[in-house]
Amino acid sequence: MGHKKLRLLWRFMVFLILALKILSAADFDPYRILGVSRTASQADIKKAYKKLAREWHPDKNKNPGAEDKFIQVSKAYEILANEEKRANYDRYGDVGDNQGYSQQPQHHHFRHFHDSFYFDESFFHFPFNSERKDSSDEKYLLHFSHYINEVVPDSFRKPYLIKITSDWCFSCIHIEPVWKEVVQELEGLGVGIGVVHAGYERRLAHHLGAHSTPSILGVINGKISFFHNAVLRENLRHFVESLLPSNLVDKITDKNYIRFLSNWQQENKPHVLLFDQMPPVPLIYKLTAFAYKDYLSFGYVDLGQRDAEQMTNQYNINMYAPTMLIFKEHIHKPADVVQARGMKKQVIDDFISTNKFLLAARLTNQKLFQELCPVRKSHRQRKYCVVLLTGEGERFRKSYDAFLSFASANTKDTVRFVHVFKERQKELTNALLGGEDKFPDRSSLAILERRNSVGRIVYKTVSEIWSGSEENKFVLLDFLDQLRKDPSLLSSETILTELNDELAPVFFLRWVYIAIDYWSDMWESVLHNNWREMMPLLSLIFSALFILFGTVIVQAFSDSSDERDSVPTDKEELHDKEKSTEANYTKENTRVPKKGFVEVTELTNVNYISNLVRLRPGHMNVVLILSSSTKASLLQRFAQEVYMFTGSSSLHFSFLNLDKHREWLEYLLEFAQDAAPIAYQYDEHFFERDYTGYVLALNGHKKYFCLFRAQSTLEDEKHVDELELSIPAGDTLRKISLGSGMGHIKKKLNKLSLWMERLLEGSLQRFYIPSWPSLD
């Protein structure tokens, strides 16, 4: 009896699902959704889609129903833009791809479940789908802009574990209990968690390289790594641990602890020691070391080993509870101690954040200067920096020790003690000493207060010669007491330039690090890609080898036949030498570029594939946007701005005619709306927008571009607003363009050289696209 009831209930559920599917398909009218008639042309359909897509895009419209509306608009455009699907809908009144073709086998329309899960499940959005979503995943859902602007920068401080899922992923249900358990554990340790819904965030899923669901990946330092093992708690924990650098924590014993703690002066960092009974370094300690790697050095002492007895006795360590010590300038006495049986993340963070700097840290770069000497927020929150201007070597040791002793006895929140080496920070030294160092062999002392982030400071030179005597200390202490009552004692004012980065690696080391990262990424992709994805690469390699060996064989046969030819006479040989010398001389002369000369080719249908789509990895095409009327002036200024960068073999320079390929450019600019919004995009004259002077750096291999906006765009927009009061709307842009002279056009490329420098540094924002559009 029970089996019959269960069977009836199952049949009812199947019937209900089919009924809901039929009703949802019947209610879906693509013409009504796009607001066009059944006789509308493809141009009208495309125009209506662009308008609605901008209006209902989830990144722009924060309405709760915007996401569903955007999906409906996309699905409607997908049907009507395809003539076959449109005719199918007009004939059968159904949005399915296989209606009217029932005689064909159905399995051709869907790929294997695990190979690809990107059929549009979001269109069949049944009511029970939203109920089936796990509410625990909702707070971790990621959108593209959130990932780019928040997750990627934050991944330089902590690793992220991200799950790719979808509504119809039945395998996702099987891993859900393990995922919940791992999230609860790792989030408490400081790991970032994210969930990407592939049905609604296809752009982000494509950017991450996730082509199937479920997928799990890790993000650290902006780099993506995929998880390839069985979804088990220990495997996921080991995966997160493998993302972290291997040199974060040093193993410390009685033999090397003195050397480890003595590195504080060379590294300019406090040193942290954790004492615990566990042989492996705890994951929470590794995550803490990664989060504060720029501020402190970390070491681990295993209390279970015999080679830690000397440290245990010297620092009076409790053997039955984890103990954390922080050492600053004095290595025989810890500056701070924390001990707890259950070392929680909040306790560790509070302990580390209050001991991030030495008592008298050395200013080695601009970032450290801004943190040690912050800009005052109000009159009650003044921050003064006492700066010791000293040198390197034993002759300055006495003055530094006296300064350090004074700093240890005066630890107040309003005063921070720092020191700089004169030879390494000459500009700061000259600014604080009035333009000239009169006593280069002696230490000096000054007090400053930063007034803004640009570099404006007020300061006072307290002592041009600081010997560390009792008189010097008394003068400094008296001046600090007076300064708390009267801030106007800092009577001098100046603008500081950025400090030299003393710890930056040299160019060769940076090149080596980049090469190592590149090869590790390449090995990872080769190791874990399946054979189907590797077939194009293998085909290319074998084709190249075939051509190479074929050329060698042909050359070998041709050489044997050439040996039979007669030897030329001396006269003919001399004549040939003169010809070759003249040709080489001419060729060498043509290689030397004239001043301001840059080889710029036009991007057309003929060379579009070779100059962009199939660019070699690491190469970029810098494209100038111009029109027929501005071509001469903009190309001349473009050549002047980029001439100094033509020595790089990885850069190619082209120009695109806006009059011919406006639609291609507007397609790309739609992906840059979040970071570089374009004015008048909702205006009726949006398609008359002047893009001349824009420059795009296109990376064909990785499918992204960087954008340089014309410098006069903002002035033009203000001018448009002023003219709209007196000029009809349809003539506004036309009158501005007519009134613009050659000088005004050339100004559009101002600061392009600075933008090119940032492009080579890799510090520009990148806008990723799914695929390169055709240049029709």
Side-chain angles (χ1 to χ4, degrees):
M1 193 70 182
H3 289 289
K4 289 185 177 181
K5 290 183 178 180
L6 186 61
R7 193 177 302 166
L8 288 174
L9 181 61
W10 174 251
R11 290 178 178 176
F12 176 74
M13 288 297 296
V14 172
F15 174 77
L16 182 61
I17 291 173
L18 292 175
L20 287 172
K21 185 182 292 187
I22 294 171
L23 288 175
S24 62
D27 292 340
F28 185 83
D29 184 359
Y31 293 103
R32 177 178 55 80
I33 290 174
L34 292 183
V36 296
S37 65
R38 289 184 173 269
T39 59
S41 63
Q42 285 295 330
D44 294 336
I45 292 173
K46 187 173 185 179
K47 187 174 181 180
Y49 165 70
K50 281 189 174 182
K51 180 180 179 183
L52 292 173
R54 293 192 192 101
E55 179 182 354
W56 293 104
H57 197 284
D59 291 343
K60 298 291 183 183
N61 195 324
K62 302 304 180 183
N63 250 325
E67 192 172 4
D68 290 336
K69 183 66 176 178
F70 180 76
I71 292 170
Q72 289 185 357
V73 170
S74 301
K75 185 64 181 180
Y77 179 70
E78 180 185 349
I79 294 170
L80 298 184
N82 188 303
E83 293 295 344
E84 184 178 350
K85 290 184 179 180
R86 184 179 180 181
N88 189 31
Y89 176 79
D90 292 339
R91 186 179 304 169
Y92 300 102
D94 199 331
V95 297
D97 291 338
N98 55 351
Q99 290 297 327
Y101 302 93
S102 57
Q103 69 274 16
Q104 297 181 4
Q106 300 294 324
H107 61 268
H108 291 294
H109 294 280
F110 297 93
R111 287 172 285 182
H112 193 272
F113 179 82
H114 293 287
D115 289 342
S116 179
F117 208 77
Y118 278 106
F119 62 84
D120 199 354
E121 73 277 1
S122 58
F123 166 62
F124 300 104
H125 192 70
F126 300 150
F128 58 82
N129 281 352
S130 58
E131 295 174 4
R132 200 176 67 81
K133 286 182 183 177
D134 193 347
S135 59
S136 62
D137 283 347
E138 290 183 0
K139 65 177 181 178
Y140 303 117
L141 287 176
L142 296 178
H143 300 288
F144 185 82
S145 59
H146 178 220
Y147 172 80
I148 295 296
N149 299 324
E150 297 184 27
V151 172
V152 173
D154 201 34
S155 68
F156 289 85
R157 294 186 294 272
K158 64 179 180 182
Y160 271 80
L161 191 67
I162 299 177
K163 178 183 70 171
I164 314 295
T165 184
S166 62
D167 279 345
W168 294 97
C169 173
F170 299 107
S171 298
C172 300
I173 302 175
H174 294 268
I175 70 170
E176 200 62 37
V178 179
W179 173 259
K180 286 182 180 179
E181 184 182 359
V182 170
V183 166
Q184 186 175 3
E185 177 189 1
L186 295 182
E187 190 177 22
L189 298 180
V191 178
I193 306 296
V195 175
V196 177
H197 196 289
Y200 300 110
E201 283 295 330
R202 294 190 178 185
R203 182 183 176 189
L204 178 54
H206 186 275
H207 173 75
L208 295 173
H211 302 297
S212 62
T213 55
S215 294
I216 296 177
L217 56 92
V219 181
I220 189 168
N221 292 332
K223 178 184 173 183
I224 301 170
S225 300
F226 276 85
F227 175 74
H228 299 284
N229 296 326
V231 183
L232 301 174
R233 177 176 172 274
E234 287 302 318
N235 289 348
L236 286 171
R237 184 185 176 92
H238 290 157
F239 172 67
V240 171
E241 197 164 356
S242 68
L243 296 175
L244 299 169
S246 58
N247 58 348
L248 283 174
V249 181
D250 296 330
K251 293 292 184 66
I252 305 300
T253 63
D254 289 338
K255 298 179 181 179
N256 63 354
Y257 82 99
I258 295 293
R259 183 172 66 252
F260 172 75
L261 296 178
S262 300
N263 285 336
W264 67 266
Q265 191 168 11
Q266 181 181 357
E267 298 177 0
N268 195 37
K269 297 177 181 179
H271 283 58
V272 187
L273 283 181
L274 176 67
F275 295 80
D276 203 350
Q277 292 279 359
M278 300 176 62
V281 181
L283 179 57
I284 187 173
Y285 193 58
K286 288 184 178 180
L287 292 169
T288 303
F290 179 74
Y292 295 95
K293 62 184 179 299
D294 295 333
Y295 300 98
L296 303 100
S297 295
F298 293 81
Y300 180 73
V301 182
D302 182 9
L303 293 176
Q305 301 294 328
R306 293 183 178 180
D307 53 3
E309 294 179 359
Q310 183 179 343
M311 285 184 290
T312 304
N313 297 330
Q314 181 177 350
Y315 300 124
N316 194 21
I317 302 300
N318 184 354
M319 299 290 292
Y320 303 102
T323 304
M324 190 177 292
L325 308 181
I326 285 190
F327 296 84
K328 295 187 178 180
E329 285 87 349
H330 304 290
I331 65 173
H332 298 293
K333 181 181 179 182
D336 205 351
V337 181
V338 65
Q339 189 178 67
R341 290 191 178 276
M343 200 70 87
K344 301 295 183 183
K345 174 176 167 46
Q346 188 62 42
V347 175
I348 297 177
D349 286 344
D350 293 342
F351 178 69
I352 296 294
S353 59
T354 55
N355 294 281
K356 286 169 57 176
F357 306 106
L358 297 170
L359 293 174
R362 179 162 60 92
L363 299 181
T364 55
N365 52 48
Q366 185 67 21
K367 179 184 176 183
L368 189 60
F369 178 47
Q370 292 173 352
E371 293 196 48
L372 288 170
C373 306
V375 178
R376 66 169 189 177
K377 297 181 180 179
S378 65
H379 292 286
R380 295 181 180 180
Q381 296 179 343
R382 292 181 179 275
K383 298 289 184 181
Y384 300 107
C385 266
V386 181
V387 185
L388 176 67
L389 307 169
T390 185
E392 302 179 65
E394 288 298 325
R395 57 179 174 175
F396 296 98
R397 172 62 61 182
K398 182 179 178 181
S399 60
Y400 171 76
D401 289 341
F403 180 74
L404 179 60
S405 174
F406 186 90
S408 303
N410 295 271
T411 55
K412 295 185 177 181
D413 294 338
T414 56
V415 180
R416 188 65 61 83
F417 295 88
V418 297
H419 72 283
V420 297
F421 289 154
K422 293 181 179 182
E423 292 298 322
R424 301 191 185 187
Q425 304 292 344
K426 291 184 178 181
E427 294 184 359
L428 176 63
T429 301
N430 294 334
L432 295 180
L433 295 179
E436 184 181 0
D437 185 9
K438 300 178 182 178
F439 307 98
D441 297 332
R442 301 290 185 89
S443 300
S444 305
L445 195 70
I447 299 179
L448 63 87
E449 179 189 7
R450 292 180 63 226
R451 290 296 176 87
N452 58 31
S453 57
V454 178
R456 178 171 170 262
I457 64 165
V458 291
Y459 68 97
K460 175 73 175 179
T461 304
V462 178
S463 176
E464 292 187 352
I465 300 178
W466 169 270
S467 61
S469 62
E470 293 298 324
E471 182 181 355
N472 286 148
K473 294 180 180 179
F474 178 78
V475 171
L476 176 58
L477 185 62
D478 182 59
F479 186 83
L480 289 175
D481 290 337
Q482 295 180 26
L483 186 61
R484 292 187 185 95
K485 302 175 184 178
D486 184 13
S488 63
L489 290 176
L490 301 180
S491 54
S492 302
E493 184 176 341
T494 187
I495 302 294
L496 292 180
T497 57
E498 287 196 1
L499 273 64
N500 297 328
D501 191 354
E502 302 176 13
L503 304 179
V506 296
F507 174 77
F508 176 74
L509 290 179
R510 282 184 290 181
W511 183 85
V512 170
Y513 295 153
I514 293 172
I516 292 174
D517 290 340
Y518 175 79
W519 283 110
S520 64
D521 291 344
M522 185 176 178
W523 174 252
E524 180 78 11
S525 61
V526 170
L527 185 64
H528 294 294
N529 275 341
N530 57 44
W531 287 106
R532 183 177 299 175
E533 294 175 345
M534 292 294 294
M535 283 304 295
L537 178 61
L538 294 175
S539 176
L540 179 63
I541 293 174
F542 282 113
S543 300
L545 292 175
F546 178 79
I547 294 172
L548 178 63
F549 283 108
T551 306
V552 171
I553 294 173
V554 172
Q555 186 68 29
F557 281 105
S558 63
D559 288 344
S560 61
S561 61
D562 290 341
E563 290 177 356
R564 302 170 187 170
D565 295 342
S566 60
V567 181
T569 61
D570 295 340
K571 190 173 182 180
E572 290 175 349
E573 187 174 350
L574 180 63
H575 184 65
D576 291 338
K577 283 185 178 179
E578 291 176 355
K579 278 190 173 182
S580 63
T581 305
E582 183 179 357
N584 289 334
Y585 177 76
T586 307
K587 189 175 181 180
E588 290 176 358
N589 283 348
T590 55
R591 286 177 183 173
V592 180
K594 299 178 182 179
K595 187 175 182 181
F597 173 80
V598 181
E599 185 177 356
V600 185
T601 58
E602 183 176 5
L603 202 61
T604 62
N605 297 333
V606 178
N607 60 12
Y608 178 71
I609 300 297
S610 59
N611 285 7
L612 175 59
V613 179
R614 294 180 181 173
L615 269 181
R616 288 180 292 172
H619 286 239
M620 300 188 74
N621 197 337
V622 181
V623 181
L624 169 67
I625 307 301
L626 49 76
S627 61
S628 300
S629 59
T630 61
K631 179 177 180 180
S633 56
L634 281 180
L635 276 178
Q636 181 182 3
R637 182 58 187 272
F638 181 74
Q640 294 173 356
E641 290 288 325
V642 303
Y643 177 72
M644 66 180 68
F645 306 98
T646 53
S648 175
S649 60
S650 62
L651 291 180
H652 310 271
F653 300 94
S654 306
F655 69 91
L656 185 80
N657 196 323
L658 187 63
D659 301 331
K660 302 176 183 178
H661 309 293
R662 172 181 290 272
E663 187 174 351
W664 179 88
L665 176 62
E666 289 177 350
Y667 174 84
L668 257 64
L669 293 181
E670 287 181 0
F671 292 91
Q673 291 295 306
D674 296 338
I678 302 174
Y680 306 107
Q681 58 178 324
Y682 300 108
D683 188 64
E684 59 180 347
H685 302 290
F686 170 69
F687 294 99
E688 300 176 10
R689 176 72 177 161
D690 182 18
Y691 298 109
T692 56
Y694 278 48
V695 178
L696 283 75
L698 310 173
N699 190 314
H701 179 67
K702 293 190 175 180
K703 296 184 181 64
Y704 71 81
F705 67 96
C706 302
L707 175 63
F708 171 84
R709 300 184 64 195
Q711 294 299 307
S712 59
T713 303
L714 296 177
E715 299 174 5
D716 290 348
E717 289 171 3
K718 293 179 180 178
H719 196 34
V720 168
D721 294 337
E722 295 173 1
L723 291 178
E724 280 180 350
L725 301 175
S726 57
I727 302 175
D731 299 329
T732 302
L733 292 174
R734 193 182 304 111
K735 288 185 178 292
I736 290 178
S737 61
L738 290 174
S740 302
M742 289 298 179
H744 175 72
I745 293 173
K746 289 184 177 181
K747 287 181 181 179
K748 292 188 173 187
L749 297 180
N750 285 348
K751 300 182 180 180
L752 177 59
S753 58
L754 299 177
W755 182 82
M756 289 291 299
E757 291 179 1
R758 293 183 60 194
L759 174 67
L760 294 179
E761 293 172 357
S763 59
L764 290 175
Q765 184 174 5
R766 300 174 179 181
F767 305 101
Y768 289 86
I769 63 173
S771 60
W772 294 110
S774 59
L775 194 69
D776 294 328

